[in-house]
Amino acid sequence: MAAERDPAPQGHAAAQPLLTDLYQVTMALGYWRAGRAQDAAEFELYFRRCPFGGAFVLAAGLRDCVHFLSSFRLQDADVQFLASVLPPDTEPEFFAYLRSLDCSGVTVRALPEGSLAFPGVPLLQVSGPLLVVQLLETPLLCLVSYASLVATNAARLRLIAGPKKRLLEMGLRRAQGPDGGLTASTYSYLGGFDGSSNVLAGQLRGVPVGGTLAHSFVTSFSGTEVPPNPMLGPANGEGSPVDLAASVEAWLERVCAHLELGVQEPNRGERAAFVAYALAFPRAFQGLLDSYCVLRSGVPNFLAVALALGQLGYHAVGVRLDSGDLLQQAQAIRGILRAAAVHFQVPWLESVLITVSNNIDEKELVRLTQEGSEVNVIGIGTSLVTCPRQPSLGCVYKLVAVGGKPRMKLTEEAEKQTLPGIKAAFRLLGTDGSLLLDLLQLDEEPPPQAGLELSVWPLGARGPLTVKPAQVEPLLLLYFQQGQLCEPLPALAESRAFALQSLSRLSPAHRRLESPEQYQVALSERLQALVDRLRNQDQP
C-alpha cells in the first residue's frame, strides 16, 4: 500500500481560505471595526441527528482540517479579491490585517478519526482569536461533514457485509466533483471498505487501489485481431513459451464439450479480449462475464483462458458480473467452477473469486451477503458516494464562549438551541466495557471517576438519572496548538482499524441499522444548571 503523502501546499490543499461564505468575511470586518478581532472565542463543531435513521456516526475529516489549518494564509490575490467584494470605503488597514492572519493562535481539540460520535458531542472544539476562528467555520464544516457522512455510510455497508466479504469503493464517476470523489474514496476506506478504484486516492492518501477492465475493453475486440506476441512463458520461468491464443482455442473445445455447448456459441471478440488481457496480466487475470451471454459465452471463454493459463502455472484471480440477478448468477457460476475444477483436475478453479457490481445499495447488499451466497467481492459506487438516503450530515459550528464567558443561542426551535460554555467530553463504560453514555460537562469541573456514582441529565429528558461508570474515557484530544500539530495523526490504515474496533463496541441495539436504540448523551448537573440559568435570563 502506498504511504500517505505529506500535507499538500496551499494551492493543492483540500481547502483554501476563500473556500468560505461571504458572510464570514463581512463578520470579520465587523469584528475588526468593533475592536474585537482578538477576543478569545470558542466554537464547537457537531451534528444534531445521526444520519440514515441510524444511531451512530464515524468521526472523519480531521486530517484534512489539520492540513488546512497548517497552511492557512491569505495570499495577495485573495485579499485583492476580497477588496473587490467588500464596500469601497473599507479601510486599507483591514486588508493589511487580513494579510497577517494565520492559525498560530488557534487551538483544536477533536475526536480521533474513526471514533464513534453522537449528537451534540463536539467533533471539533476550535478556540482562538474571534475573527480568525469565525473565518474557519465554513471550510471546517466542509471538510468534516461529508467525510463523516461517507465514512458512516461505508461503516453501515460494512456492518451489513460482515468481516469476510471484500468491499471495493468504485464511485468516482458518480461523485459530486473531483474533491467529492477523493473524499469519498479516502473516507469510505476509513469506514471499513477494503479499497477503491480511485488511483489518486492511492497516490495521495495511501488507499489500496484495485480494478481490472470494463465492457468497452471486451466489446472493442471482434475476434479477428492477431496478438502482436501471443507467446507466454511458464509462471516459474522454466520451459518454452506457448502460444496462448492457440492454447485457449484448444481448451475451448474441451470446455464446450464439458458444458454441452457448441464451440461457436462463445463470442469470439470476448475471447480475444480475454486473451489480450491475460497476456498483459497473466498473474491477475479476471474475466468480465456479462458483455454478451454470461453462461453461454462469458463463462466458457473465461474457463478456456483460465485453463490455458493454469497449464502454464498461472491462476486466474476471478470473474466479475455487472448486470442481472447477481446472487443467482454467482450461485450458478460457482457450481460450474466447482464442476470444472473436478472435471479438469484443477482444484484452485473452484475458489476463484466472484466479484459483483451494479447499483448495489443496502437492501441488495443484505441479499448478496446472506448465508450461502457465493459472492466474494462487492463493488459499490453510487449508493456509497452520493449517500442518497441522506446527502448531508447537517453539521453546525456554534459559538459557545467569548472571553471565557459562556454564550448560548436561544431560539424557539429547541433543537437549534446550543449548549454554552467551554466543555469537556467523556465516555462512560460499564463493567463489561459496554458503552453507557457520553457526558458533556464544563471544562472547569473535575472529571468523572470510575466506580463513583454521579447524577447526569440526558439530553431531551425531563429529569436526571444516576450512573456509576466502571471506566471513564476522555473523548477530545489536543491536536493543534500555536500553529503546530501536537498529537501525531495516525496513518489512514490505522484510523480504519480504529474505526472497525469502535464499531465493534456498539451494542446490537445501537448497531442495528433500522429503528436502532438511540445512544444517550447527557449533561453534568453544573452544565444543566448553566443552561437553565441562561434560559431563564432570557425570559421576559
Side-chain angles (χ1 to χ4, degrees):
M1 186 198 314
E4 195 171 353
R5 277 193 178 181
D6 291 333
Q10 180 173 294
H12 302 284
Q16 299 178 44
L18 292 197
L19 186 69
T20 192
D21 296 302
L22 181 60
Y23 81 165
Q24 309 291 3
V25 182
T26 59
M27 283 190 287
L29 177 57
Y31 290 139
W32 184 82
R33 283 179 168 170
R36 304 195 59 208
Q38 290 296 318
D39 286 6
E42 173 112 3
F43 284 81
E44 291 179 347
L45 191 157
Y46 59 95
F47 59 94
R48 297 185 176 114
R49 296 182 185 180
C50 292
F52 315 120
F56 69 89
V57 160
L58 279 185
L62 176 61
R63 67 192 61 235
D64 290 331
C65 292
V66 169
H67 295 173
F68 168 69
L69 296 171
S70 299
S71 63
F72 180 89
R73 192 89 186 204
L74 288 161
Q75 305 300 309
D76 287 344
D78 299 331
V79 176
Q80 289 169 11
F81 177 76
L82 293 178
S84 74
V85 296
L86 288 174
D89 62 347
T90 302
E91 298 89 333
E93 291 82 3
F94 174 67
F95 297 115
Y97 184 78
L98 290 181
R99 286 186 176 90
S100 72
L101 293 180
D102 59 24
C103 288
S104 58
V106 174
T107 297
V108 174
R109 291 177 174 82
L111 289 176
E113 280 196 317
S115 296
L116 291 170
F118 301 101
V121 178
L123 301 174
L124 300 180
Q125 290 177 325
V126 184
S127 60
L130 177 57
L131 185 151
V132 174
V133 292
Q134 183 72 70
L135 285 174
L136 298 177
E137 175 180 0
T138 302
L140 292 181
L141 283 169
C142 187
L143 292 171
V144 169
S145 297
Y146 178 61
S148 298
L149 183 73
V150 77
T152 305
N153 199 18
R156 289 172 61 88
L157 295 165
R158 170 51 70 192
L159 289 174
I160 293 170
K164 294 183 180 179
K165 302 292 184 185
R166 293 192 67 243
L167 298 178
L168 181 69
E169 178 274 315
M170 47 193 300
L172 179 58
R173 65 189 62 194
R174 303 286 186 255
Q176 289 93 336
D179 291 338
L182 182 59
T183 300
S185 300
T186 301
Y187 292 106
S188 62
Y189 176 64
L190 182 144
F193 271 53
D194 295 286
S196 170
S197 64
N198 186 342
V199 178
L200 189 62
Q203 182 192 30
L204 297 183
R205 300 303 183 86
V207 176
V209 295
T212 51
L213 67 161
H215 295 99
S216 56
F217 184 87
V218 176
T219 58
S220 73
F221 287 82
S222 66
T224 60
E225 299 83 3
V226 178
N229 181 10
M231 308 303 289
L232 181 65
N236 61 11
E238 301 175 3
S240 301
V242 170
D243 185 327
L244 184 66
S247 178
V248 166
E249 293 301 319
W251 274 106
L252 181 68
E253 293 188 12
R254 299 176 62 183
V255 167
C256 287
H258 168 64
L259 298 178
E260 298 182 350
L261 295 172
V263 74
Q264 299 301 319
E265 290 189 64
N267 185 278
R268 291 178 59 202
E270 179 182 60
R271 189 161 62 255
F274 286 2
V275 169
Y277 198 82
L279 286 169
F281 299 97
R283 299 182 188 277
F285 172 63
Q286 183 180 61
L288 178 57
L289 303 186
D290 63 339
S291 298
Y292 301 103
C293 178
V294 172
L295 297 181
R296 307 189 75 81
S297 182
V299 169
N301 279 332
F302 168 78
L303 285 173
V305 176
L307 291 165
L309 287 172
Q311 203 168 25
L312 293 170
Y314 302 98
H315 290 178
V317 300
V319 298
R320 182 163 76 90
L321 297 164
D322 190 51
S323 59
D325 189 320
L326 302 174
L327 181 67
Q328 289 188 8
Q329 289 183 99
Q331 302 291 106
I333 290 167
R334 182 67 71 198
I336 294 170
L337 292 173
R338 287 179 177 139
V342 172
H343 181 80
F344 295 112
Q345 298 183 345
V346 282
W348 57 265
L349 190 58
E350 67 176 336
S351 58
V352 160
L353 298 178
I354 298 177
T355 299
V356 299
S357 56
N358 187 25
N359 292 322
I360 295 168
D361 56 14
E362 287 188 2
K363 182 179 179 181
E364 179 65 7
L365 186 61
V366 169
R367 184 168 175 267
L368 292 173
T369 55
Q370 65 186 263
E371 186 72 27
S373 170
E374 295 294 348
V375 172
N376 306 108
V377 185
I378 301 163
I380 305 180
T382 305
S383 67
L384 173 58
V385 306
T386 66
C387 302
R389 287 189 61 181
Q390 183 173 327
S392 173
L393 179 55
C395 285
V396 294
Y397 182 91
K398 296 301 181 182
L399 180 69
V400 297
V402 177
K405 296 181 179 180
R407 292 289 187 269
M408 183 178 181
K409 176 184 176 182
L410 291 166
T411 173
E412 294 178 357
E413 191 173 344
E415 187 183 49
K416 288 195 170 185
Q417 293 182 1
T418 60
L419 296 174
I422 300 172
K423 294 181 279 296
F426 299 91
R427 185 155 291 158
L428 309 187
L429 310 178
T431 53
D432 58 355
S434 60
L435 310 187
L436 299 179
L437 58 81
D438 282 7
L439 176 67
L440 296 175
Q441 63 176 50
L442 295 172
D443 190 55
E444 62 203 38
E445 296 184 63
Q449 299 297 309
L452 297 182
E453 286 189 350
L454 68 156
S455 180
V456 301
W457 288 72
L459 290 175
R462 294 187 176 182
L465 65 81
T466 300
V467 62
K468 184 178 180 180
Q471 303 173 56
V472 177
E473 296 178 353
L475 292 178
L476 300 167
L477 302 182
L478 178 64
Y479 277 99
F480 190 83
Q481 192 171 42
Q482 296 181 341
Q484 300 294 322
L485 181 68
C486 47
E487 176 76 22
L489 290 174
L492 187 61
E494 294 176 59
S495 295
R496 176 182 183 273
F498 178 64
L500 294 175
Q501 179 189 17
S502 298
L503 291 170
S504 72
R505 301 177 70 189
L506 280 171
S507 71
H510 295 132
R511 191 185 304 135
R512 194 166 58 233
L513 300 184
E514 298 296 335
S515 303
E517 180 182 326
Q518 293 302 310
Y519 183 79
Q520 281 194 328
V521 175
L523 310 185
S524 69
E525 288 191 306
R526 285 182 61 184
L527 179 54
Q528 182 65 46
L530 175 63
V531 170
D532 292 340
R533 178 168 62 83
L534 293 178
R535 281 176 179 162
N536 291 333
Q537 284 179 0
D538 190 61
Q539 298 300 315

